[in-house]
Amino acid sequence: MPSKTLIVIPTYNERLALPVTLSGLFDQQPEVDVLVVDDGSPDGTGEWAEERAASDPRIHVLHRSEKSGLGMAYIAGFEWALARDYDIICEFDADGSHRPLDLGQLLDVARSGRADLVIGSRWVPGGAIVDWPRSRFLLSRGANVYVNAVMGLGVRDATAGFRAYTRPALEALDLSGVQSQGYCFQIDMTYRTLEAGFRIAEVPVVFVERELGESKMSGSIITEAFTKVAGWGLTRRRNQLRRLLRRSKTG
């Protein structure tokens, strides 16, 4: 049986962008299902998604009463997927920054069993960014350099939000313990996946600056990432040292 795939798309005021995103997704991958996780968008995104779902059984909508961040929206989507029979669960932005054209290569790797988390990476050979201001470029590049220097994850694009998880990986993680948002959420999930012993692969994608709506990036998201990464880095390095000492004693 072919694997069953769910694309989780968090939304907040994405009424203009979402129709374009769904059209592109189904043009490229007509067999996938989509879960729109809407945080009570005042612009009617959730209502539009409900209308579309009524005529397309591939579309599902999860309404949340308030905007509580990207991380919590994805966790809600993951839990929804795990309560059903999906084998591959993907993260995808509604705003057009993730190209449906690139989704196939993430799914190919996830379905092949070569990795448990497949990241669509901007920073591996073949990856690219289109129309970003220099400040945003430096922020993203610097964030990933910082994450690898502090945590040593060995992942070139730990902040990327274009991802495919296998069901066993998400089932094994303590999703209830994830409280991170934005950049930090993606780093947190990468860290947890690696620490749980799962395999991570990166495939090159082209990231396109959004044309519709407004960016959700904020100073608080950046500050959260900086401080939490420092704490995770200390924990990871301490655990690595303990494992090294145990091996040396048994050796």
Side-chain angles (χ1 to χ4, degrees):
M1 292 290 292
S3 60
K4 193 172 179 183
T5 301
L6 180 72
I7 313 299
V8 180
I9 305 180
T11 57
Y12 184 77
N13 286 349
E14 300 288 2
R15 173 64 182 83
L16 295 178
L18 184 59
V20 179
T21 297
L22 292 181
S23 177
L25 277 172
F26 291 136
D27 282 347
Q28 293 293 324
Q29 303 290 333
E31 79 287 357
V32 303
D33 285 355
V34 169
L35 174 66
V36 176
V37 183
D38 187 68
D39 279 3
S41 299
D43 72 345
T45 302
E47 289 76 6
W48 180 88
E50 282 286 1
E51 292 174 4
R52 179 72 188 274
S55 60
D56 190 335
R58 297 172 297 181
I59 299 174
H60 309 273
V61 186
L62 179 61
H63 294 280
R64 303 195 324 140
S65 60
E66 60 182 14
K67 185 181 179 183
S68 55
L70 181 72
M72 294 302 97
Y74 271 128
I75 293 299
F78 294 161
E79 291 174 342
W80 189 95
L82 293 176
R84 292 158 179 83
D85 57 346
Y86 291 101
D87 303 303
I88 307 295
I89 301 98
C90 301
E91 297 181 16
F92 201 89
D93 284 353
D95 61 13
S97 56
H98 298 157
R99 301 192 310 171
L101 179 65
D102 292 325
L103 178 59
Q105 59 182 334
L106 274 74
L107 296 180
D108 287 345
V109 176
R111 289 166 177 168
S112 72
R114 300 198 303 271
D116 307 286
L117 164 57
V118 187
I119 298 175
S121 177
R122 299 157 291 188
W123 304 118
V124 296
I129 292 174
V130 177
D131 292 335
W132 257 12
R134 183 168 177 78
S135 59
R136 185 82 183 276
F137 179 93
L138 292 174
L139 174 62
S140 178
R141 195 74 185 98
N144 280 286
V145 170
Y146 171 66
V147 168
N148 270 308
V150 174
M151 300 183 69
L153 298 180
V155 175
R156 299 285 295 276
D157 201 349
T159 63
F162 191 0
R163 300 174 168 226
Y165 290 90
T166 63
R167 182 184 189 89
L170 287 182
E171 285 180 326
L173 302 182
D174 178 18
L175 297 179
S176 64
V178 179
Q179 299 295 325
S180 309
Q181 301 300 328
Y183 266 165
C184 210
F185 171 73
Q186 307 300 357
I187 300 165
D188 192 352
M189 290 295 292
T190 305
Y191 172 47
R192 289 170 184 264
T193 301
L194 196 62
E195 286 290 292
F198 291 101
R199 296 160 298 172
I200 298 177
E202 294 182 87
V203 298
V205 300
V206 176
F207 187 96
V208 182
E209 176 68 344
R210 65 182 301 152
E211 296 180 357
L212 300 170
E214 297 179 357
S215 173
K216 310 299 190 300
M217 182 61 66
S218 68
S220 61
I221 289 175
I222 297 170
T223 300
E224 179 197 32
F226 184 85
T227 55
K228 285 197 172 183
V229 164
W232 292 330
L234 287 173
T235 300
R236 178 167 167 78
R237 298 302 189 185
R238 185 166 54 243
N239 290 340
Q240 288 174 330
L241 179 59
R242 287 173 178 169
R243 288 192 289 265
L244 182 61
L245 290 173
R246 282 198 298 267
R247 284 197 295 268
S248 65
K249 290 179 181 179
T250 57

